[in-house]
Amino acid sequence: MYVATNQKLPAEGEEVMTKIDDHKGVRNEQKLVRKGNLWFFPDMSMYVYYQPTHWKAV
């Protein structure tokens, strides 16, 4: 079950499944790792230029 990022954030450094789910539909479903306010690919090679709206443990 997904958790809204505006309700609770995952632990920093934890790999989680994320998505954007809003009035435009569901998109950008992928595994990411949060570090502060940024969300990175699991290998930490690059951060994404959006803020996921939901996440769940993998």
Side-chain angles (χ1 to χ4, degrees):
M1 173 168 255
Y2 280 92
V3 178
T5 54
N6 63 2
Q7 300 294 319
K8 182 180 179 183
L9 290 171
E12 222 174 274
E14 177 185 358
E15 184 176 326
V16 293
M17 180 60 76
T18 65
K19 67 178 178 177
I20 294 176
D21 187 352
D22 60 14
H23 66 282
K24 295 181 182 177
V26 177
R27 59 197 184 281
N28 295 60
E29 293 182 88
Q30 63 181 326
K31 291 180 183 177
L32 296 174
V33 175
R34 183 180 71 86
K35 184 173 182 187
N37 291 329
L38 297 177
W39 293 82
F40 289 83
F41 293 136
D43 65 1
M44 302 301 282
S45 63
M46 184 168 51
Y47 65 89
V48 296
Y49 290 89
Y50 64 89
Q51 182 76 24
T53 60
H54 295 80
W55 65 276
K56 70 176 180 179
V58 232

